[in-house]
Amino acid sequence: MNPMNRNADKAVPVPMDGTRSELSGTASDVVQARDVSGGVHFHRSGPERRDVPRQLLGDVRGFVNRAAELGRLDTALFPLGPEAAHLTVIVGTAGVGKTALALRWAHRTQDQFPDGQLYVNLRGYDPGTPITAEQALDRFIRALDVPPSRIPADLEAKASLYRSLLANRRVLVVLDNAESVSQVRPLIPGADGCRVVVTSRSRLAGLMARDGAQRVTLEVLPESESVELITAITADYRGEDDPADVAELARLCACLPLALRIAAERAATRPWMPLAQLIQDLRDESGLWDALTAEDGEEADGVRAVFAWSYRALPVDAARMFRLLGLHPGPEFSVQAAAELAGVTVLDARRLLDSICGVHLIEQTGPDRYEFHDLLRAYATNAAHHQDSLEEQYAALSRVLAWYLHVAHAAGTAMRTPVRLLPPTALPAPSAVPTFPAYLDGARWYEVEWSNLLAAVQAAEKSGLHRVSWQLALMLRPYFTREATIADRLQVIETATSAARRDGDRLAEAEALFALGTAYSAQHRLDDAVRVHRDVLALRREIGDSEGELLSVNMLGVLFLMQRRFPEAVEQLESALALSRDRDDPEREATALFNLADAYCGSGRYPEAIETASRSLALSRELGDQRRELVALVVLARAQADSAESRRGEALESAEKALELARTRNEDRNEGWVLLEYARIQRLNGLFNDALISCQRATTLHRALESPVREAVALDGTGEAYQGLGRAADAVPFHRRAVAILRDLGDRWQLAVALDNLGAALAEEDAVEARACRQEAYDLFEGYADPLTQAYSARLAGLLD
């Protein structure tokens, strides 16, 4: 390679650890052109969004009146602009209809918020762990099209990103069931066009004093409106009931909408039974259960009485199902999980769940999925503790944890990530474990069950099931690089590490620490990652874990590649190659080969790089492993392009094959990555117009995927293509944008490259600024010892003399 050839100087790092994120999509917006006579312009008026979030729950059936409260919300929150309140808190006792009011108002006004509606149930009064502000921010930021890899780990940084995303947008944020000010405050956007509606049993006085919130206090329904609600629900099922009986039923329900709805649903399902008899049953209901909520008095008594009344009307098997559902780790669950919890077939579980739904004790949220109201979940849990023995409760929890453990293993296996999945031996397998035919099938299951999986890990640990806890925690790793946030990853890893140590399993401890090192590398904490992986390698050698040793050696090699410490990378990766052959592990041999080839390339050992990448390619094809084949093709193309001018045609062919493979697999992330190398090789071959098209597509993909380093490389490559066409003035804005992105991210080496390119583009227009750019680039390159950086430094030193 000629190090003075600027187009040869920028190779995009290959994702060499095999843990990269792969997203599915389409490649339908590729621009194809032979010649570009004008220019390629990338317009960006604001953050690009694929979807507007529409997260509101469905509107409430049978909603009655509350006209005064709806009017108060209108007055407090409209008109949009700085003069109106940005935040309103709806407060009231449990079951009074706070959520229903918030949702009715939100649905009525959603046209005022064209940029979307965000909703989260903070579960402040749920028997389980409440949703923290940090977890809610993770969900909201992802809903605003930011991938997990771009979400900061720090709460303050998350809140800042969230506010930035909502700046200049009109979004409604509904925060349901907040317990404390600390849950709410980080979720308040600063934009004048946004509004926040909070529901809470607490007064949250701090939001009024400091954040200017308005309060709407929700009282129980007047008796007349309570009668209207009962009548609206029962009208299609019963004949005309005596108004006095309806009013008596309303009073027994303490005029609380939640209790009223449950009572009315029961009356609707017994159209032949006189309402007076139903009322007598309810009046006779005694206080069988301990206090369910923090409230005392008529309202709490009314809620407890209605719950007990409805529960006792269930058939025995449905009542048992209801109780055991209170032991499920999360408030939302699938019919399959419910079946395992109760130890019944899926067909029977569906029948029992329909029976429970029929009396309004749970709600169906989707096909085969159900959810509790927090009061009802607490009631079910309390009922299980009173009526089922500890042995029965333990057995039910163990069954559902076994289901999550073994299904997670099946889903993770289908995803075929390089993560080593230890066998799920902590609990026996359920009778039927679903199969997942392909990668996306497994990934979708993880996505749907993610909150339950996190809760299950914690439930196992709290129950003293340490082996279950760490096995399940480690089973979540296939999903880490796809959607899991850094905060979730670190929480799971911490639990796995603690549980493994309590269980005395050093192999599991090593796996958990390996996951910690990988999380550090995802955060670009490379020195921390190297330190942890060195410790893991020592532990694995100590316990004689040869497979784990191979994984750790390979990972250290990858980390050295990321740090451009190529001699150390070569040493590690040659060792990884030998270990993979000793173990007769062809898949990891293919990985070690393409990683080693990249290390040879970075060291300037191009013949060895070409030979090694070719062996990886052949082995990957023999295995039928397209993921590894694609990476091997890119590394081969890079080595061919940089080895000699005569091989650049071959490099173009290799890169084209990799691009075709990425598009065949519908992998936007890999297509974008391949396009960066393809554009570089096009420039080396003098195909500057074609390189512009490739860079445009790469920029679009990486911007949509929120991959800023690669977006910056694509923009910088665009500038290089314009320079190749002799259009330095057109190149400058692209280099400037790349420099700005990379400076914010702190990517030192890529920033130096972009500054060097900007200096070249400015050389004739502004010699002073060009020199400043080159001087900064020269200073940034200091400390790197690889041949490419040395060539950069030597050339810049000559220009700066």
Side-chain angles (χ1 to χ4, degrees):
M1 179 189 71
N2 179 2
M4 303 303 290
N5 185 329
R6 189 174 314 281
N7 292 319
D9 282 348
K10 188 167 63 174
V12 182
V14 61
M16 297 154 288
D17 59 1
T19 60
R20 65 190 181 284
S21 194
E22 297 182 359
L23 300 182
S24 290
T26 61
S28 59
D29 59 335
V30 180
V31 178
Q32 295 189 3
R34 183 64 185 168
D35 298 302
V36 181
S37 57
V40 178
H41 304 283
F42 303 159
H43 300 285
R44 186 181 188 183
S45 58
E48 295 183 3
R49 289 169 286 157
R50 285 169 281 182
D51 296 295
V52 172
R54 305 287 186 191
Q55 296 186 331
L56 292 179
L57 302 181
D59 204 353
V60 181
R61 181 174 66 89
F63 188 92
V64 298
N65 292 315
R66 297 294 196 191
E69 291 85 355
L70 289 168
R72 286 201 289 275
L73 286 170
D74 287 339
T75 301
L77 294 169
F78 286 127
L80 294 177
E83 66 278 4
H86 292 186
L87 171 64
T88 293
V89 182
I90 302 172
V91 300
T93 190
V96 78
K98 300 181 293 296
T99 299
L101 176 65
L103 290 174
R104 171 51 58 98
W105 186 85
H107 279 282
R108 277 188 12 172
T109 61
Q110 61 182 326
D111 290 345
Q112 299 293 320
F113 302 99
D115 296 313
Q117 301 88 41
L118 298 170
Y119 171 89
V120 64
N121 185 347
L122 293 170
R123 305 197 183 282
Y125 304 93
D126 194 88
T129 305
I131 302 296
T132 65
E134 186 170 3
Q135 290 169 323
L137 282 169
D138 284 333
R139 297 180 186 186
F140 284 172
I141 292 170
R142 278 187 283 183
L144 295 166
D145 276 343
V146 177
S149 60
R150 288 288 321 283
I151 299 176
D154 176 68
L155 173 60
E156 186 175 342
K158 283 188 177 102
S160 178
L161 174 59
Y162 169 70
R163 290 191 297 270
S164 298
L165 291 167
L166 292 186
N168 303 316
R169 295 190 192 181
R170 288 165 56 185
V171 172
L172 174 64
V173 182
V174 179
L175 307 176
D176 204 6
N177 291 311
E179 180 187 28
S180 64
V181 170
S182 63
Q183 274 184 302
V184 173
R185 187 164 282 142
L187 303 173
I188 302 173
D192 286 340
C194 293
R195 294 292 180 267
V196 182
V197 176
V198 183
T199 73
S200 180
R201 298 179 204 172
S202 305
R203 294 179 63 80
L204 303 182
L207 294 179
M208 284 69 189
R210 177 174 161 185
D211 302 283
Q214 299 291 312
R215 182 186 290 128
V216 173
T217 302
L218 201 58
E219 305 292 350
V220 297
L221 284 171
E223 186 175 303
S224 60
E225 295 183 13
S226 300
V227 168
E228 185 180 346
L229 176 58
I230 293 172
T231 303
I233 293 173
T234 61
D236 293 337
Y237 303 95
R238 299 179 62 86
E240 187 172 348
D241 289 306
D242 186 335
D245 287 340
V246 178
E248 176 65 11
L249 180 59
R251 286 192 292 274
L252 286 170
C253 294
C255 293
L256 281 166
L258 176 63
L260 289 165
R261 287 180 181 280
I262 294 174
E265 290 284 355
R266 184 173 177 193
T269 59
R270 288 161 176 78
W272 60 86
M273 184 178 289
L275 193 59
Q277 184 176 339
L278 289 169
I279 290 170
Q280 187 59 46
D281 290 345
L282 177 55
R283 188 180 287 117
D284 292 342
E285 194 59 61
S286 60
L288 292 174
W289 315 106
D290 290 340
L292 194 58
T293 67
E295 295 88 0
D296 292 318
E298 184 181 352
E299 292 88 353
D301 291 340
V303 170
R304 286 195 294 270
V306 171
F307 287 178
W309 181 55
S310 297
Y311 164 71
R312 290 183 65 187
L314 290 171
V316 172
D317 53 354
R320 174 178 177 270
M321 170 68 87
F322 174 75
R323 295 194 307 273
L324 295 181
L325 288 173
L327 304 177
H328 184 268
E332 190 263 354
F333 47 87
S334 67
V335 66
Q336 294 88 354
E340 291 300 328
L341 191 67
V344 299
T345 67
V346 170
L347 185 63
D348 283 341
R350 189 174 284 110
R351 173 181 58 81
L352 296 173
L353 291 169
D354 287 344
S355 177
I356 300 168
C357 277
V359 295
H360 220 57
L361 293 179
I362 59 173
E363 297 291 335
Q364 186 162 6
T365 58
D368 288 345
R369 297 200 76 82
Y370 302 83
E371 186 172 22
F372 270 117
H373 185 284
D374 56 1
L375 285 179
L376 285 161
R377 186 182 180 204
Y379 186 86
T381 306
N382 194 48
H385 292 338
H386 278 81
Q387 287 192 260
D388 298 301
S389 67
L390 287 175
E391 291 76 13
E392 289 172 313
Q393 294 177 58
Y394 180 87
L397 179 62
S398 295
R399 285 193 299 268
V400 77
L401 290 176
W403 189 79
Y404 281 119
L405 176 64
H406 287 272
V407 180
H409 182 264
T413 301
M415 290 179 71
R416 292 191 66 183
T417 64
V419 172
R420 177 169 63 161
L421 294 178
L422 300 178
T425 58
L427 290 169
S431 57
V433 175
T435 57
F436 301 94
Y439 171 91
L440 279 178
D441 299 295
R444 289 189 185 110
W445 182 84
Y446 274 113
E447 181 178 3
V448 170
E449 297 290 354
W450 188 247
S451 61
N452 284 329
L453 289 165
L454 295 178
V457 169
Q458 298 303 318
E461 182 67 359
K462 288 177 182 177
S463 301
L465 300 171
H466 303 307
R467 182 166 292 264
V468 177
S469 182
W470 69 251
Q471 286 194 4
L472 183 55
L474 294 178
M475 216 66 78
L476 306 190
R477 289 179 297 162
Y479 194 66
F480 276 6
T481 57
R482 181 174 174 86
E483 289 291 340
T485 65
I486 287 293
D488 282 349
R489 291 170 68 170
L490 292 175
Q491 176 189 329
V492 169
I493 291 165
E494 180 181 356
T495 303
T497 306
S498 174
R501 286 171 176 163
R502 288 192 180 98
D503 193 39
D505 194 309
R506 303 194 74 198
L507 174 62
E509 181 183 351
E511 287 294 305
L513 291 173
F514 185 90
L516 177 62
T518 304
Y520 283 157
S521 65
Q523 295 176 281
H524 301 286
R525 296 169 57 181
L526 299 183
D527 290 338
D528 289 334
V530 168
R531 173 182 52 78
V532 170
H533 281 294
R534 286 192 191 278
D535 291 343
V536 174
L537 178 58
L539 176 56
R540 283 175 160 169
R541 283 173 172 163
E542 183 181 337
I543 63 177
D545 176 16
S546 62
E547 182 182 8
E549 180 183 0
L550 167 57
L551 294 172
S552 291
V553 170
N554 180 75
M555 181 57 73
L556 280 169
V558 169
L559 289 169
F560 292 143
L561 278 171
M562 294 172 72
Q563 294 178 314
R564 303 188 68 81
R565 295 161 61 179
F566 295 114
E568 292 164 280
V570 166
E571 180 182 359
Q572 290 293 325
L573 294 168
E574 285 179 342
S575 178
L577 179 59
L579 287 169
S580 66
R581 288 171 174 167
D582 289 344
R583 289 184 48 79
D584 192 22
D585 188 338
E587 290 185 340
R588 293 197 174 104
E589 180 181 349
T591 297
L593 283 166
F594 65 61
N595 284 338
L596 180 58
D598 211 47
Y600 285 149
C601 197
S603 302
R605 297 163 61 175
Y606 299 113
E608 292 165 281
I610 291 171
E611 179 191 359
T612 307
S614 298
R615 283 156 51 200
S616 178
L617 178 61
L619 183 54
S620 299
R621 286 172 172 167
E622 182 181 329
L623 293 167
D625 190 330
Q626 291 184 328
R627 182 178 59 82
R628 287 183 168 90
E629 178 185 352
L630 184 149
V631 180
L633 278 167
V634 173
V635 176
L636 177 61
R638 177 179 302 167
Q640 289 169 331
D642 292 346
S643 64
E645 188 172 349
S646 61
R647 304 206 66 168
R648 289 176 184 170
E650 296 175 66
L652 198 63
E653 291 179 8
S654 297
E656 285 170 349
K657 290 176 183 176
L659 186 59
E660 180 182 356
L661 189 55
R663 288 174 176 168
T664 299
R665 288 168 57 85
N666 287 331
E667 295 172 344
D668 284 0
R669 186 173 298 278
N670 275 340
E671 181 188 345
W673 170 64
V674 174
L675 278 166
L676 296 179
E677 191 64 35
Y678 186 43
R680 186 181 80 93
I681 295 169
Q682 286 172 324
R683 295 194 301 270
L684 288 173
N685 281 280
L687 303 173
F688 299 112
N689 287 320
D690 291 343
L692 284 175
I693 302 302
S694 296
C695 286
Q696 184 221 18
R697 171 65 176 159
T699 302
T700 300
L701 285 171
H702 291 307
R703 186 174 293 161
L705 292 166
E706 295 284 351
S707 179
V709 170
R710 291 181 180 174
E711 179 187 343
V713 172
L715 290 166
D716 198 43
T718 303
E720 290 186 89
Y722 274 127
Q723 289 197 63
L725 291 167
R727 296 166 57 179
D730 290 327
V732 169
F734 290 94
H735 293 311
R736 286 196 191 281
R737 179 61 184 150
V739 166
I741 293 172
L742 294 165
R743 197 183 296 284
D744 285 344
L745 293 170
D747 191 313
R748 181 180 165 194
W749 196 85
Q750 289 288 356
L751 173 60
V753 171
L755 282 165
D756 182 32
N757 287 329
L758 177 58
L762 288 168
E764 294 185 9
E765 175 187 328
D766 189 336
V768 174
E769 186 182 359
R771 180 177 179 83
C773 290
R774 286 167 165 164
Q775 183 64 59
E776 185 179 357
Y778 179 81
D779 294 340
L780 287 168
F781 280 132
E782 186 177 359
Y784 291 99
D786 60 279
L788 181 57
T789 308
Q790 298 262 325
Y792 266 117
S793 297
R795 177 172 51 77
L796 286 169
L799 292 170
L800 291 168
D801 279 347

